[in-house]
Amino acid sequence: MPEKRPKAPPSPGFFYWISRAVLVCAIILSLGAVFFVKVQAEGFLKSDPRFFLERSPDYSEAPPNLVLEGVVNADREAILALFEPDLGRSVLWMNLDQRRVSLLSIPWVADATVSRLWPNRIHVRIAERQPVAFVKLASHSHPTLVDAEGYLMPAPAKQVFHLPVVAGVSPEIGDEVRRERMARVVRLIREFGANLSLVSEIDVHDIRNLQVTGQFRKRVITLKLGDREFGLRFTNFINNVDSLLESAPVAAVFDMRYETSVVAEPDPTLVPPQAPAPEPATGQTAPVKPTPVKTAKPSANRKKHVR
């Protein structure tokens, strides 16, 4: 008995192809209509004055629909100058990412966000850097501050900061070196706590041996603290400051890096106390002759160990 072959599907007819063509045309027309509406709407948003970033009637003030938040020490005029090309134009034209990058180049600005609020408002939020110290500069230039990341900023004229001075983070060194040194300074500041008020200068030229300088018992003293245990070593000096200064009356530097002793280095500008001259016998007059005081220059190896 012969096998029955399956029937071939009927070929699509004329009306099938017509329906497909109509569907494709409808899709094309819909996309064209959407594109046309988009172009018209965009043109309307860019040209209608109701969406413009207005200029301020007073040149010294910010535009009425440009809101700035978080600006304390940053240059407000420099921030407003970045938005000068956007005044009198629709906020739709503004490149928000480009404006944010420009804001980050202004001193004191650590981070910034720029938002577009319809119909015609721009909101700018600034996060400022937090200074941790002044920078000791060789030249008598404008006071400069530095933050924890080693970023240098000009000190504002109207703001008062009670911060120590750091030597060794000048603009001449590289950013990476300055960042590494400031990491040590921040750790020292954290370990010192309230004792930081006793310090006037922190020297971080050598990150393996940080030094601090302050006035103790009317003497300017420098302490060598090494690269760790800054707070503990400083506290040890404070707890024994009277005995240390008494046992080393001409010392200007105390090395606190040793566990069992303190090394005192003499100051060549100081004169050791002299013993009082004996008084002449009763009824006798001794001639007064000036006695020159000779002070030998201390050698590099001449140090006094105070235990």
Side-chain angles (χ1 to χ4, degrees), residues 125-194:
R125 182 179 288 107
I126 301 295
E128 293 190 344
R129 298 183 180 274
Q130 300 299 320
V132 296
F134 285 96
V135 178
K136 185 176 182 180
L137 302 176
S139 60
H140 299 282
S141 58
H142 188 80
T144 303
L145 294 163
V146 61
D147 70 353
E149 298 179 357
Y151 189 89
L152 302 175
M153 312 162 276
K158 298 181 179 180
Q159 191 79 349
V160 179
F161 297 94
H162 300 282
L163 300 172
V165 177
V166 175
V169 290
S170 62
E172 289 74 21
I173 64 175
D175 295 341
E176 189 63 30
V177 176
R178 189 164 54 247
R179 188 179 300 111
E180 182 182 9
R181 292 181 179 181
M182 283 307 302
R184 299 293 179 94
V185 172
V186 170
R187 193 176 74 184
L188 182 147
I189 292 175
R190 183 174 61 250
E191 292 185 12
F192 268 43

Side-chain angles (χ1 to χ4, degrees), residues 274-280 289 291:
Q274 302 294 320
E279 297 182 359
K289 297 181 180 181
T291 304

Side-chain angles (χ1 to χ4, degrees), residues 15-210:
F15 291 103
Y16 173 81
W17 293 111
I18 290 295
S19 62
R20 287 299 181 95
V22 171
L23 179 60
V24 171
C25 291
I27 294 175
I28 294 175
L29 291 176
S30 299
L31 293 176
V34 171
F35 179 76
F36 177 78
V37 171
K38 179 178 180 298
V39 171
Q40 292 296 319
E42 186 174 327
F44 172 72
L45 294 175
K46 289 182 178 180
S47 59
D48 194 289
R50 287 176 291 182
F51 304 101
F52 284 10
L53 187 63
E54 301 177 4
R55 294 181 179 273
S56 173
D58 189 348
Y59 180 77
S60 61
E61 296 182 358
N65 45 357
L66 176 62
V67 181
L68 294 180
E69 285 188 2
V71 179
V72 178
N73 298 310
D75 191 339
R76 187 181 182 88
E77 294 183 359
I79 295 175
L80 294 177
L82 294 178
F83 295 91
E84 184 68 25
D86 303 309
L87 299 180
R89 302 179 64 193
S90 172
V91 295
L92 188 63
W93 288 102
M94 184 183 296
N95 189 324
L96 302 183
D97 293 334
Q98 184 179 3
R99 292 294 176 267
R100 178 181 179 275
V101 172
S102 300
L103 287 170
L104 296 179
S105 64
I106 296 178
W108 282 94
V109 177
D111 197 7
T113 57
V114 184
S115 306
R116 185 167 29 226
L117 305 177
W118 295 103
N120 62 347
R121 294 175 65 84
I122 296 295
H123 188 273
V124 180
R125 182 179 288 107
I126 301 295
E128 293 190 344
R129 298 183 180 274
Q130 300 299 320
V132 296
F134 285 96
V135 178
K136 185 176 182 180
L137 302 176
S139 60
H140 299 282
S141 58
H142 188 80
T144 303
L145 294 163
V146 61
D147 70 353
E149 298 179 357
Y151 189 89
L152 302 175
M153 312 162 276
K158 298 181 179 180
Q159 191 79 349
V160 179
F161 297 94
H162 300 282
L163 300 172
V165 177
V166 175
V169 290
S170 62
E172 289 74 21
I173 64 175
D175 295 341
E176 189 63 30
V177 176
R178 189 164 54 247
R179 188 179 300 111
E180 182 182 9
R181 292 181 179 181
M182 283 307 302
R184 299 293 179 94
V185 172
V186 170
R187 193 176 74 184
L188 182 147
I189 292 175
R190 183 174 61 250
E191 292 185 12
F192 268 43
N195 285 334
L196 186 65
S197 60
L198 304 176
V199 174
S200 59
E201 182 178 316
I202 304 171
D203 193 324
V204 71
H205 280 95
D206 184 1
I207 61 173
R208 295 169 297 182
N209 183 21
L210 269 63

